[in-house]
Amino acid sequence: MITAADEVHADVLIEHGRVVALAAPGTQEWTAERVIDASQKYVIPGGVDAHTHMELPFGGTFASDTFETGTRAAAWGGTTTIVDFAVQAKGEPLRAGLDAWMVKADGNCAVDYAFHMIMSDVNESTLREMPKLVELGVSSFKLFMAYPGVFYSDDGQILRAMQVAADTGGLIMMHAENGIAIDVLVEQALGRGETDPRYHGEVRKALLEAEATHRAIQLARVAGSPLYVVHVSAREAVAELAAARDMGLPVFGETCPQYLFLSTDNLAEPDFEGAKYVCSTPLRPREHQAALWRGLRTNDLQVVSTDHCPFCFTGQKELGRGDFSKIPNGLPGVENRMDLLHQAVVEGHISRRRWIEIACATPARMFGIYPQKGTIAPGADADVVVYDPHAIQVLSAETHHMNVDYSAYEGKTITGQVETVLSRGEVIIDQRKYTGHAGHGVFVPRGLCQYLS
Ligand code: URP
Ligand code: ZN
Ligand code: ZN
């Protein structure tokens, strides 16, 4: 069994959906309705993906995974909890957005789910609503320094939301890119006839991610609030986070598999294929990857989430043919995260325990659901994965379960594969057969970030 803290040989006893006991193999005379033989396999906690966007409305279309298809794919990939983003529509209360997302998810999920709240309209009324959402178990709020006119908040709005977060214990999650400057560069690029997907990466400059990260950190310091920066991709942004953490500030960073394994080489693929890799922050030149891996090892980055936000190549990504700024932003990945990070173990980037820490335990602690989620220990939900570390698989759209017509990792060989998955004690993947059902997953109300006193 592997947790963030331990690697031990153990039998795991599960009753009524919870882990009730661990014991050295064969030392206890337990009787059980079912015994799952995991010898030669790893027994790991179900993954916690703290950043997904099922059915997200974006760029005139919707992310192609519903809560039903996306959580089923998550189960196939060994993820048993997702934290998705409810969206506040401009001019509407936060509560209306949360209620709408609750309806989308309710009765449809194969695994458990929780919500963060995207604030697209920070004003007196939505600021007053924030403490109420924290009480309802939605204790984190995403703000955008990017996407002017859509999700964008200005520095004053950000400061005000951070002040409320400081008072209530909420966590501000920041999309840190200078969207005002990026929009100027987009207009200039299009004016020069630079319309291909690769220009998406060129205009969304690493320095504009770093500048926004720096600004977000300073605003959080002024407000006295913690800060969690999402989808960090630029080495210069990692340096800003590391400097803040060296000062002892409560600043946290997340990266995603696409930034660790893909690069601007993918964005430059010919025949508009680069559109498959358009997301924001954008993929960076491959030299940035070393800083991300190092940040994960030194704990300057704490979490790997997917930012799963799939759009089919046909009919969705194609909306941006002739104008890269119209390509819906986002990549599929909820099914691939645990495997890609195991591959990182195989390749020596991280240790086995760090794999579980960044993919299960830390996201659970960061978002207030540990030890219910993210570990295997008496009292925890029995979200357990039997993982075969020796199986060889080739990632492909032909075989994945996400509702999207391409894989960002097509043809990539991975050592390791999920074999069996339990969610609250129910077997939902049984030796690579899906045995779960829509509606098994329930809403998980969250407490406050557990890294703050
Ligand atoms: O490209 C991305 N990341 N799409 C999803 C929305 C966001 O900003 O996280
Ligand atoms: Zn974002
Ligand atoms: Zn996102």
Side-chain angles (χ1 to χ4, degrees), residues 51 53 85 142 231 307:
H51 190 153
H53 299 282
F85 289 80
K142 185 176 177 191
H231 47 53
D307 195 7

Side-chain angles (χ1 to χ4, degrees), residues 291-314:
L292 299 176
W293 288 120
R294 190 168 53 250
L296 287 171
R297 284 192 296 272
T298 57
N299 205 37
D300 286 320
L301 298 171
Q302 296 79 29
V303 172
V304 176
S305 307
T306 57
D307 195 7
H308 176 76
C309 190
F311 297 99
C312 288
F313 183 69
T314 304

Side-chain angles (χ1 to χ4, degrees), residues 45 56 72 89 118 129 170 193 287 433:
L56 179 76
R72 192 166 57 216
I118 286 180
E129 278 191 276
E287 302 83 80
K433 271 199 232 51

Side-chain angles (χ1 to χ4, degrees), residues 2 62 67 160 175 214 251 277 285 299 329 344 390:
I2 309 169
F62 288 83
F67 279 89
R160 280 174 184 275
H175 180 131
H214 181 84
V251 170
Y277 306 95
N299 205 37
N329 283 205
H390 305 297

Side-chain angles (χ1 to χ4, degrees), residues 265-288:
D265 295 351
N266 299 98
L267 268 176
E269 285 178 15
D271 301 328
F272 196 64
E273 292 277 311
K276 293 176 177 174
Y277 306 95
V278 165
C279 59
S280 296
T281 59
L283 301 186
R284 301 293 179 194
R286 72 175 61 248
E287 302 83 80
H288 289 248

